[in-house]
Amino acid sequence: MKPGAGRGRLEAFFRALLARRRSVLLVYALLVPLAALAALRIPTDSSIDRLVVQTDADFQAREEFRKLFPERQQIVLLAKAADPFARGVLERVATVEARLREIPGLSVFSALSIFEQARPGAKAPERADQFKEFVTGTELFRRQGLLGPGFLGIPVAFDAPSPRQRDRALARIDDVLRPFAASPAPLAGLGRVGGPYVDAWLEDETARAGETAYPLLGLFVVAITLSLYRSARTLLAFLLTLAAAVALSLGLGHAAGFAFTIVSSLVPLTILITTTAALVYLHSRFIEVPASLPGAAPTAALQDHHVFALANKFVATTASMFAAAIGFAALGVSKIRPIREMGFWVGGGILVTWIVVFTLFPALQRVLGTPVRRGPASGRAAASGGLQRIVEALPIWTFRFRWALLSGSLLLMVAGAIALLGLPGHVKPLALETDALDYLDPRLEIVRDTRLFEQAVSGLSDVDLWVTTPPGLALDPEILRGLGVFTRRLESDPRVGTVTGPILTLRLMRYVAGGGDRLPEEPGAWPGLAAQLDQLLLREPALREQIDLGSMAQVRLSVLHQGKGFAGVEDLRDFFSAAWNDAAASAPALAACRMRVVGSGLLQVKIAEYLVPTLTESFALTAAIIFLAFLVVFRSGAARLMAMIPSVFAILAMFVVMRVCAIPLNVATILIASTVLGASENDQIHFFYHLQERRSAGLETAMRHALLIAGRAILFATLINAGGFLALTFSGLPPMRQFGILASSAFVLSMLASLTALPAALWVVSGERPAVRTTGAERRAGS
């Protein structure tokens, strides 16, 4: 689009808007408080339900499975001691367990309670030697996490359908444990392990990150605004516009039913940064009043200049904001639900912000009377000394080193692609971070305790196996025998820790009765075992979590395994299918049954597999749509491609940084490509837009004009983008810290590429050369 095209209609719109500025302020005065109230009602939810899109087949299977076997929240308390079998330690563990049982709704057990049920009248602390012999005589207790190196485990289960109910349950548990934690002796300490604690910490830290990042960003915006414009009225206009943009964007999220997750906390931060950058571009153009306007210019003349500035920056600012919106909305291709929601949320929020920027902000400028600076709107006098020297030197310098700049940029971009995707036979692809513990600070006690627990149970990743039998045959002896063969086949693999289900229950019953922990293989023994299990199901409600009593055709097996031992979902499914087929060969009754891999654990494995497609697909879609948008803004085919060089350069360079600094791809850093591509296009769009205004005068003249008009705004907009995301480095979440560092670095690199590689590419493509300059001696001789 040629600069100036359609400007008459734009100027008419802005003239009418400014004439109705008080009505505009009144509308926002009514809308913003309502949006702010809605924003306060947005829930925080980091549950598995928020990780996978609801149309996913495995998600739907998990929901069906839940109707039969509702999932309960589970944690394990670790009673740590140098000698876990000392009498004083056992007495302390028994006291902790007894206190926990007083909390309504909790299911609590330990090796002590199993021993005392097996030996009626016996107390484990009083028979420490017998207890030790009992729990160490089988691998069953270790596999269940009831015994480990230097600890005894106390599993606790409770119902908590929502994060708030989970937090209340954990608070009651912590209240009971507080006296023991304060004075643990003779224990060495009480550890806590389990997903509920991890989820609660992630949610608290996500909220805390915002409490730190937003004030820091606010101070940064105040400092930048005052240093740029030296006006309290301008600062007030900025702050009121930012507050409205964030409130309306968050209110939009509430209306859409979104929730705050580990990544969606980026929404208000991104809106703040994007809005501030747009305001800098707009206001920087407004304050430069042409010299042709008299020093005591009438109000009408200033109003005309205000209208001109808004119309002049409308196309470039609109294109840059829509590019950012598209960049984030492209994350909607992700199958990771928080990333998809965050993309739509930010994309929609930026569109709302675009309306705010071109309606509320101009009205505030006029009502508050934000001051201007008088001087030429372009030309040498418009630049300060430092900027003037850059403007003079940059076109010549980039021409002189154009091939070196382009070659170096290209090599770094190739290195970035290799760092991300790898090189077959030489370089592995960038590592994926799939362990939830990697999202926590490694110095936390829960991380150390979980690693200790993981050693005992041989893995913490879990999946559920859903076995469907012919109607009413869940306790059929031959089917149970087949499940026994299947369980042994699974547990024989070193990657599998334990398989919880009817077979484990039978093994434990047999061990308690003194018959050893190995079940007989001959078919004749299984009718009796089936009868025992039938009687036990009537007495122990907890066992009904393994067999559906309504149909007697559904069986649940829960498997703990080493997640990193499997390549992905298909590898995991193939492993269980192979074991099932082997078992069916020994127990033909299994042929009439169906086994499916389901559960939240399977969905977590799928999340890891969705990370790279999220990166590549969203990046490709963003690049394609932005390129199409440039078809409208820039008619030059070369300009369409070259305008994206700095952003692509910065993104690929970041993958080199990630490789060198051992930063993996995770649920936060996977957003870097779309974020940088969408948000950093501001610089290139504004540069190219003003370049076209003087392109007919030659490339060198056009470059200088673009730098004089947009150079200062580009510099400070980059500082705002980089400084805003740098505030995330104060987060306690490692992925958010990593994202903040990478995003800030990428914006700086993008700006440097805009000032070096981009002009160099323009010189090469255009084939033009700078004008010949005379030396100082020649100029004096000529005069």
Side-chain angles (χ1 to χ4, degrees):
M1 179 181 294
K2 183 178 179 180
R7 186 168 293 168
R9 291 189 296 273
L10 281 174
E11 290 185 353
F13 168 78
F14 286 120
R15 198 177 301 279
L17 182 141
L18 293 173
R20 297 169 176 80
R21 55 191 177 275
R22 298 188 186 281
S23 298
V24 171
L25 295 181
L26 178 61
V27 170
Y28 279 101
L30 296 174
L31 288 179
V32 170
L34 295 176
L37 290 174
L40 294 175
R41 298 169 59 189
I42 297 175
T44 298
D45 187 359
S46 297
S47 67
I48 189 67
D49 292 342
R50 283 283 171 184
L51 292 180
V52 179
V53 295
Q54 294 183 345
T55 55
D56 185 274
D58 288 313
F59 179 90
Q60 294 175 346
R62 197 281 304 267
E63 292 303 291
E64 293 179 26
F65 183 70
R66 269 185 169 181
K67 294 176 183 177
L68 295 170
F69 303 105
E71 291 183 356
R72 306 189 75 196
Q73 302 274 0
Q74 294 188 356
I75 63 172
V76 179
L77 305 177
L78 306 185
K80 295 181 284 186
D83 180 8
F85 301 106
R87 176 167 180 167
V89 170
L90 297 180
E91 289 176 344
R92 194 69 162 171
V93 172
T95 303
V96 170
E97 186 175 351
R99 291 292 308 277
L100 289 171
R101 290 182 184 278
E102 295 174 1
I103 302 177
L106 261 59
S107 298
V108 186
F109 73 98
S110 70
L112 278 74
S113 55
I114 294 175
F115 172 79
E116 292 174 356
Q117 288 178 8
R119 307 286 189 270
K123 297 295 182 183
E126 298 172 0
R127 301 186 182 183
D129 291 340
Q130 294 181 24
F131 172 72
K132 180 178 181 179
E133 181 181 0
F134 177 76
V135 297
T136 58
T138 177
E139 63 176 4
L140 297 178
F141 296 105
R142 179 193 62 80
R143 282 182 173 272
Q144 295 182 81
L146 301 179
L147 173 67
F151 73 84
L152 292 174
I154 308 174
V156 180
F158 54 91
D159 293 315
S162 69
R164 181 173 298 180
Q165 291 171 308
R166 176 207 63 209
D167 291 343
R168 284 200 295 263
L170 292 179
R172 290 195 296 266
I173 293 172
D174 289 342
D175 287 342
V176 168
L177 298 180
R178 191 167 290 112
F180 301 100
S183 180
L187 299 177
L190 268 176
R192 296 168 173 81
V193 172
Y197 278 115
V198 172
D199 292 341
W201 187 89
L202 286 173
E203 291 172 10
D204 289 344
E205 195 57 41
T206 299
R208 194 175 298 115
E211 293 171 0
T212 303
Y214 303 143
L216 287 175
L217 178 59
L219 292 175
F220 187 71
V221 169
V222 170
I224 286 288
T225 305
L226 290 178
S227 65
L228 262 177
Y229 308 116
R230 304 181 185 279
S231 166
R233 285 175 289 171
T234 299
L235 175 62
L236 181 59
F238 268 59
L239 295 179
L240 290 175
T241 304
L242 291 172
V246 171
L248 291 171
S249 298
L250 294 182
L252 176 68
H254 177 268
F258 296 153
F260 283 127
T261 64
I262 189 174
V263 293
S264 58
S265 59
L266 290 171
V267 172
L269 182 65
T270 305
I271 295 298
L272 280 171
I273 292 169
T274 304
T275 308
T276 306
L279 296 181
V280 167
Y281 281 112
L282 280 180
H283 199 67
S284 294
R285 188 59 165 147
F286 166 67
I287 64 172
E288 298 293 346
V289 177
S292 58
L293 203 64
T299 302
L302 282 175
Q303 291 177 358
D304 288 341
H305 170 69
H306 192 186
V307 169
F308 160 78
L310 290 169
N312 180 254
K313 298 301 293 183
F314 179 81
V315 173
T317 303
T318 297
S320 64
M321 295 188 74
F322 271 71
I326 290 168
F328 283 100
L331 293 171
V333 301
S334 176
K335 295 181 180 179
I336 304 176
R337 188 177 177 189
I339 293 178
R340 172 183 285 191
E341 289 185 356
M342 183 255 190
F344 288 141
W345 197 348
V346 175
I350 291 176
L351 296 182
V352 170
T353 296
W354 172 72
I355 297 173
V356 173
V357 164
F358 281 107
T359 55
L360 177 61
F361 185 61
L364 288 171
Q365 285 177 303
R366 180 64 60 84
V367 170
L368 295 175
T370 54
V372 297
R373 289 199 294 260
R374 298 183 182 279
S378 62
R380 295 185 179 185
S384 62
L387 180 59
Q388 176 65 46
R389 288 191 291 272
I390 293 174
V391 169
E392 287 292 333
L394 195 61
I396 308 301
W397 184 84
T398 55
F399 173 79
R400 183 178 303 164
F401 297 103
R402 60 193 183 280
W403 292 112
L405 289 170
L406 287 178
S407 300
S409 300
L410 181 60
L411 287 175
L412 193 54
M413 290 165 72
V414 171
I418 294 174
L420 171 65
L421 303 174
L423 192 63
H426 297 85
V427 181
K428 293 182 178 180
L430 200 61
L432 292 174
E433 191 172 73
T434 60
D435 190 340
L437 286 182
D438 291 329
Y439 292 177
L440 275 62
D441 190 324
R443 296 169 296 181
L444 292 174
E445 186 176 1
I446 188 174
V447 177
R448 296 194 299 269
D449 289 339
T450 303
R451 296 302 184 197
L452 175 66
F453 184 74
E454 188 176 22
Q455 294 175 12
V457 299
S458 301
L460 282 180
S461 299
D462 67 292
V463 294
D464 287 313
L465 304 181
W466 182 3
V467 178
T468 302
T469 72
L473 297 184
L475 295 182
D476 178 79
E478 275 303 297
I479 290 178
L480 286 177
R481 187 175 73 86
L483 292 179
V485 176
F486 179 52
T487 300
R488 287 197 302 273
R489 169 66 176 81
L490 294 178
E491 293 184 342
S492 66
D493 192 291
R495 297 171 295 179
V496 174
T498 187
V499 180
T500 302
I503 302 305
L504 178 61
T505 301
L506 288 173
R507 291 181 65 189
L508 191 57
M509 288 172 53
R510 187 175 179 85
Y511 178 74
V512 167
D517 64 2
R518 186 173 180 84
L519 297 177
E521 298 182 16
E522 59 274 10
W526 283 88
L529 292 172
Q532 293 178 33
L533 187 59
D534 191 12
Q535 293 299 313
L536 194 62
L537 279 170
L538 299 176
R539 299 197 307 268
E540 296 291 341
L543 296 180
R544 297 167 194 171
E545 296 178 5
Q546 301 174 5
I547 298 177
D548 176 40
L549 294 183
S551 65
M552 292 300 292
Q554 312 292 340
V555 180
R556 173 185 184 177
L557 306 178
S558 299
V559 183
L560 282 180
H561 63 91
Q562 297 173 7
K564 295 181 179 180
F566 296 92
V569 170
E570 292 308 314
D571 188 27
L572 203 61
R573 283 196 173 108
D574 290 344
F575 167 73
F576 287 115
S577 294
W580 180 263
N581 293 334
D582 286 349
S586 300
L590 291 185
C593 304
R594 180 188 181 193
M595 186 275 299
R596 283 177 282 177
V597 186
V598 296
S600 300
L602 182 68
L603 299 182
Q604 291 172 340
V605 178
K606 298 193 78 170
I607 292 299
E609 295 190 355
Y610 290 153
L611 286 178
V612 171
T614 291
L615 172 66
T616 56
E617 293 173 8
S618 63
F619 176 75
L621 183 59
T622 301
I625 297 178
I626 288 178
F627 177 75
L628 293 176
F630 285 177
L631 291 176
V632 178
V633 181
F634 308 123
R635 292 184 177 179
S636 167
R640 298 166 195 159
L641 289 174
M642 288 187 293
M644 302 179 71
I645 288 176
S647 296
V648 176
F649 166 80
I651 291 167
L652 292 176
M654 279 305 93
F655 294 127
V656 176
V657 174
M658 292 176 71
R659 174 74 69 169
V660 172
C661 298
I663 296 177
L665 289 173
N666 54 44
V667 73
T669 58
I670 205 73
L671 303 173
I672 192 71
S674 293
T675 300
V676 173
L677 182 59
S680 66
E681 286 298 321
N682 286 343
D683 299 350
Q684 295 88 271
I685 290 175
H686 285 273
F687 176 84
F688 263 96
Y689 186 78
H690 294 294
L691 183 85
Q692 287 184 295
E693 290 179 328
R694 296 292 177 86
R695 188 64 184 88
S696 59
L699 183 57
E700 182 181 355
T701 300
M703 276 189 192
R704 288 199 171 92
H705 171 75
L707 288 169
L708 287 172
I709 297 299
R712 188 188 303 273
I714 287 174
L715 173 62
F716 282 97
T718 299
L719 289 177
I720 289 167
N721 285 333
F725 282 108
L726 198 61
L728 292 175
T729 58
F730 292 93
S731 172
L733 299 171
M736 299 304 287
R737 289 201 303 268
Q738 295 162 355
F739 178 84
I741 293 170
L742 291 175
S744 300
S745 303
F747 285 121
V748 173
L749 285 172
S750 177
M751 181 191 69
L752 293 176
S754 297
L755 299 177
T756 56
L758 181 55
L762 286 170
W763 284 120
V764 171
V765 172
S766 69
E768 297 182 37
R769 302 178 66 86
V772 177
R773 283 167 171 71
T774 58
T775 64
E778 291 171 334
R779 286 195 298 270
R780 287 192 296 273
S783 62

